[in-house]
């Protein structure tokens, strides 16, 4: 969402309505002088729009604007970091209120983050089989591990950019 907000605020073709976008597309097509692109625009407008948007995002962020992309990535990473910590805290409260077990904590935690992750609830099964009874211990370990992972990711990101 941060990329969309950034581009609709600061990139003229995306900062207005569809008819204005089409004006920018026609200017783009004229500058390209590529008849095949005109044909694609006329016969396959949806595909052309997708390609135009992808090209525009790449040009805006990757070619000479890497600092903006880094800023967006840092904002999204911070948001995701806070989301997971919040989910850990809420799941801990949920499990304690129900006098629940680790499996209930994991179920609640996964429900809170499933839209943001690529792993499944099944991937967390190994935690259940460790016979941990203390929900607070799970919270402490998860928070510490998560904070460590985020710091490592940030460190790697700084050295690779």
């Amino acid at each position: 969402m941060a990329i969309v907000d950034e581009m609709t605020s600061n990139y003229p073709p995306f900062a207005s309505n569809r008819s204005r976008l089409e004006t920018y597309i026609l200017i783009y097509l004229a500058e390209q002088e590529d008849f095949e692109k005109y044909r694609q625009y006329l016969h396959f407008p949806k595909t052309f729009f997708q390609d135009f948007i992808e090209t525009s995002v790449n040009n805006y962020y990757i070619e000479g604007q890497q600092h903006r992309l880094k800023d967006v990535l840092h904002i999204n990473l911070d948001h995701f970091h806070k989301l997971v910590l919040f989910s850990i805290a809420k799941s801990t409260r949920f499990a304690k209120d129900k006098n629940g077990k680790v499996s209930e904590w994991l179920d609640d935690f996964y429900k809170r983050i499933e839209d943001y992750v690529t792993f499944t609830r099944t991937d967390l099964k190994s935690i259940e089989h460790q016979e941990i009874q203390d929900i607070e211990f799970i919270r402490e370990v998860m928070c510490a591990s998560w904070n460590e992972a985020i710091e490592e990711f940030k460190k790697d990101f700084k050295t690779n950019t």
Side-chain angles (χ1 to χ4, degrees):
M1 288 304 288
I3 291 174
V4 172
D5 292 342
E6 166 79 19
M7 290 195 73
T8 55
S9 298
N10 299 320
Y11 190 66
F14 298 161
S16 191
N17 59 25
R18 181 173 174 135
S19 65
R20 190 88 167 132
L21 173 63
E22 293 218 33
T23 301
Y24 279 98
I25 287 174
L26 292 173
I27 292 168
Y28 167 79
L29 287 169
E31 289 171 348
Q32 295 295 308
E33 297 179 358
D34 183 348
F35 185 74
E36 189 57 37
K37 288 185 180 180
Y38 278 106
R39 203 170 77 67
Q40 183 187 18
Y41 173 69
L42 293 173
H43 296 288
F44 308 102
K46 183 177 180 178
T47 304
F48 182 84
F49 270 74
Q50 290 171 338
D51 291 345
F52 178 78
I53 291 168
E54 183 178 324
T55 300
S56 297
V57 170
N58 286 339
N59 290 341
Y60 187 77
Y61 279 107
I62 295 171
E63 294 177 6
Q65 302 292 334
Q66 287 187 351
H67 69 281
R68 287 185 180 162
L69 184 57
K70 287 179 191 176
D71 292 344
V72 168
L73 289 174
H74 279 289
I75 289 167
N76 287 339
L77 181 62
D78 288 342
H79 173 72
F80 186 59
H81 182 210
K82 290 174 186 171
L83 172 84
V84 171
L85 290 176
F86 178 78
S87 298
I88 290 169
K90 285 293 199 180
S91 297
T92 301
R93 181 168 294 132
F94 169 80
K96 282 183 171 182
D97 289 348
K98 284 185 72 175
N99 291 323
K101 297 180 178 176
V102 172
S103 62
E104 291 172 310
W105 186 94
L106 289 168
D107 289 341
D108 187 69
F109 175 70
Y110 186 74
K111 282 181 194 171
R112 293 175 187 278
I113 65 168
E114 70 181 318
D115 291 339
Y116 305 97
V117 297
T118 57
F119 60 86
T120 65
R121 169 61 177 90
T122 308
D123 294 330
L124 301 173
K125 283 277 188 206
S126 64
I127 297 171
E128 276 181 75
H129 300 299
Q130 293 182 12
E131 298 182 24
I132 300 170
Q133 302 299 319
D134 186 1
I135 297 296
E136 192 61 32
F137 174 74
I138 290 287
R139 184 195 66 76
E140 290 171 8
V141 169
M142 291 292 284
C143 285
S145 298
W146 181 242
N147 286 330
E148 186 179 310
I150 290 294
E151 289 307 313
E152 187 67 29
F153 182 80
K154 285 180 178 180
K155 189 172 83 177
D156 287 348
F157 186 72
K158 282 182 183 177
T159 59
N160 292 328
T161 58

